[in-house]
Structure formats: C-alpha cells, structure tokens
Amino acid sequence: MNDTDGTARTGSADTRESNADARAGSGRDEILAQAIRLRESGRREEARALLLPLSESHPDDAEVAYQTAWVHDTLGLEAEALPHYLRAIQRPGLSDEDRRGALLGLGSTYRVLGKYPEAVAALRDAVAEYPDDGALRTFLAMALYNTGQHHDAMELLLNLIASTSRDPEIAGYRPAIEHYAKDLDATL
C-alpha cells in the first residue's frame, strides 16, 4: 500500500491501524443503518440509544450528527437535537437531500424552542441556498409570522401557493394572487 506521497508503507503497525480504521468505519455504517431502520419503524428510543454513543465516537461525522438530531426531534427533544443539527450543517459529508433536511430541522427546532430570530436567520440562509425548496419557504413563513413579520410571511406563502398549486381554480387566479402577494392592501 502507498501513502499519498507515493512511498510504500511498511511494518505491521500501519497495516493493523489501517484495518482497525476500516473496521471502525464499517461498524459505524452498520450501527447508523440499524439506527435509521429503528427510527423509521417507530422505535425511536432504541435508535437514540445507538446514535448517542455513535455521535460521541464520531463527533466530526455530519451524517451521524444529522441522524442523531433527527431522532431527538422525533422524540420531542428539540433542545437536545439543536447541537447535533448545528454540527451536521457545519461539517462536510451530507448528501444534498440530507443537508436540506438538516437545515429545515435546524430552523424548525429554533422555532419550536421559541428562538424565532434564530429560526428566521437559519431558514433565510437555507432558502438562499435552496431557493426552490417549498418546505424551507413554508417553514420560513411560519418563523416570519412568529416574529411579527406577517406581511413577509403572507407574501412568501401566497407566492408559494401561486407557483406550486395544481388546483385549476388557484392557477386561474395566479396573476391576481401574485399581485396581492406584493401588497395585500392593494387594489387592482
């Protein structure tokens, strides 16, 4: 086996260390997969029992942090979920879909905890990163509402409805909805 500089590795200590790293990574994958299956099947406490020590032993692993946050969230333990969401989004390694989920989870968790300005900031950043994500925009609208920014919340929701609804009645009124989204007090 060669190091990155092209020199050959020698000695059994390097081989043992490499094999131990491979086993640790494999154990991580198996435990994480099992925890996800448990969470998805409604056995959230069991999933949490697997994820907490995994998170402790892999503090820089974004995927483990995200799954740990998610299980806490599903158990109604938002305060415990928060540091895991923060770790998940601050580190590389999440798929695009998981990153979106972690950003939404972070913003929603701030909101549930009554940290409305933090929720707005987190969700605004998330919407800037993923402007076409309707779920992120919806949660941002809720956080805006919580901070008294009712006009901005309504504008966001009305534009979302106008642009995504398949209801023919709404589609027929799309121009009017988009017009009023800019100013609900306006008249045509």
Side-chain angles (χ1 to χ4, degrees):
M1 181 182 275
N2 290 330
D3 284 337
T4 56
D5 66 357
T7 59
R9 279 190 178 183
T10 58
S12 58
D14 286 339
T15 304
R16 282 194 305 273
E17 188 176 301
S18 177
N19 289 342
D21 289 345
R23 283 193 304 275
S26 172
R28 174 252 186 226
D29 293 347
E30 291 168 9
I31 293 168
L32 186 59
Q34 182 182 4
I36 292 169
R37 283 191 302 273
L38 287 167
R39 178 186 44 79
E40 289 174 343
S41 69
R43 296 166 59 189
R44 297 181 295 269
E45 284 291 350
E46 291 173 67
R48 181 175 180 254
L50 290 176
L51 287 166
L52 284 173
L54 189 63
S55 181
E56 201 170 292
S57 65
H58 294 82
D60 294 325
D61 189 314
E63 189 177 10
V64 170
Y66 173 50
Q67 293 299 329
T68 306
W70 193 350
V71 79
H72 281 90
D73 230 350
T74 64
L75 288 165
L77 302 171
E78 286 83 3
E80 290 87 347
L82 190 59
H84 297 287
Y85 277 129
L86 289 168
R87 276 196 359 259
I89 67 165
Q90 292 168 350
R91 288 170 173 71
L94 289 180
S95 69
D96 200 49
E97 181 181 346
D98 284 352
R99 180 157 175 81
R100 287 176 190 240
L103 291 168
L104 190 144
L106 175 64
S108 176
T109 297
Y110 275 138
R111 187 181 158 277
V112 169
L113 293 172
K115 297 180 177 201
Y116 303 130
E118 293 89 341
V120 169
L123 290 163
R124 277 194 199 277
D125 289 348
V127 167
E129 190 171 336
Y130 298 103
D132 296 328
D133 190 306
L136 287 171
R137 291 189 287 164
T138 301
F139 276 80
L140 173 57
M142 289 187 279
L144 289 167
Y145 171 85
N146 292 125
T147 59
Q149 299 175 65
H150 303 126
H151 180 270
D152 292 344
M154 282 298 295
E155 180 180 3
L156 194 57
L157 287 177
L158 287 172
N159 282 319
L160 184 63
I161 289 169
S163 66
T164 62
S165 178
R166 292 190 179 115
D167 182 317
E169 298 299 321
I170 291 175
Y173 288 101
R174 183 176 179 174
I177 294 169
E178 289 173 337
H179 171 78
Y180 287 123
K182 293 176 192 157
D183 184 1
L184 281 172
D185 297 317
T187 57
L188 285 176

